[in-house]
Amino acid sequence: MRDDRSEDFRNRKKREREERARIREFDKELFSYTGQVAWFLPGIFSFVLIILMIIPVQEAVHSSIAIWPNFFMLATWSTYFLLLPYVSVTDSVTPQKKTRSTYAKLKYLPVSKKQYRRVRMEYLLRYLWKVTLIGLVVQCAAAAAVLKSVTVWNVLYVVGILLVYPLLLGRLVVS
């Protein structure tokens, strides 16, 4: 009985790995057509967001300028445009050039929705942790230069704006 469960578990894990490999292969084929153009807009928005990280959180809180909506707007656009090629594709074969979800094309491979979401979130996390690390360096360096101190709020601010919020938003986009 115990061997049956462990074998089922191994078979399920193997099947899930194979599904993720199929999805990644599909994505590689998809990006052979779109190339680096798909990274242009998220890159621009992320760059501007990192530049805005020069403003220490202590200064942003006490500032009369409404900068908070800009942070969330840029993080939203960056996440959306980063995931857009992975969640929707234009079908150029049809005369109307309909936009369909990539899962609608992938479901014939067969892959589960759970693995589809997991791969998409892995792509997003791989991008976001790099942006967060750069933003953390910029925020802490700016806080150290301007305020002569770095607090835990500087770290939480960057992690919240550049990692947690986009991950939660990405989860909504992929679902």
Side-chain angles (χ1 to χ4, degrees):
M1 183 71 169
R2 190 170 177 102
D3 286 337
D4 290 341
R5 276 194 244 157
S6 64
E7 188 173 327
D8 288 343
F9 179 76
R10 279 185 290 219
N11 288 338
R12 190 179 83 231
K13 289 297 179 184
K14 182 180 177 190
R15 190 176 55 249
E16 288 174 353
R17 275 194 304 274
E18 290 170 353
E19 286 179 13
R20 288 192 301 270
R22 282 187 216 119
I23 294 168
R24 288 183 187 110
E25 189 62 35
F26 174 84
D27 292 339
K28 191 186 319 183
E29 184 70 26
L30 177 68
F31 271 96
S32 68
Y33 299 113
T34 59
Q36 298 299 320
V37 175
W39 293 95
F40 184 69
L41 283 175
I44 287 176
F45 292 132
S46 297
F47 180 74
V48 172
L49 198 53
I50 288 171
I51 295 300
L52 287 175
M53 285 294 144
I54 290 175
I55 304 168
V57 68
Q58 295 89 339
E59 294 295 322
V61 167
H62 298 298
S63 174
S64 62
I65 302 169
I67 197 149
W68 296 103
N70 294 328
F71 285 124
F72 288 107
M73 179 182 61
L74 287 168
T76 302
W77 284 350
S78 177
T79 303
Y80 175 74
F81 284 117
L82 180 72
L83 287 174
L84 185 63
Y86 294 116
V87 295
S88 104
V89 63
T90 303
D91 208 0
S92 60
V93 178
T94 61
Q96 295 87 9
K97 293 194 177 192
K98 293 181 181 178
T99 301
R100 296 179 11 174
S101 79
T102 54
Y103 184 71
K105 290 186 169 237
L106 277 169
K107 68 181 176 183
Y108 299 110
L109 280 181
V111 294
S112 68
K113 188 77 167 176
K114 176 183 173 186
Q115 297 308 316
Y116 171 79
R117 285 187 198 119
R118 182 174 173 181
V119 170
R120 299 308 188 241
M121 291 306 289
E122 285 173 1
Y123 292 156
L124 182 61
L125 183 62
R126 188 172 32 204
Y127 179 79
L128 290 177
W129 79 263
K130 294 171 189 173
V131 171
T132 303
L133 189 61
I134 295 168
L136 191 60
V137 169
V138 169
Q139 174 69 210
C140 291
V146 173
L147 304 172
K148 308 291 188 249
S149 70
V150 177
T151 65
V152 71
W153 293 110
N154 296 102
V155 175
L156 292 175
Y157 166 67
V158 172
V159 169
I161 295 284
L162 296 179
L163 185 66
V164 175
Y165 174 68
L167 280 175
L168 293 173
L169 189 65
R171 184 74 177 148
L172 291 175
V173 170
V174 172
S175 294

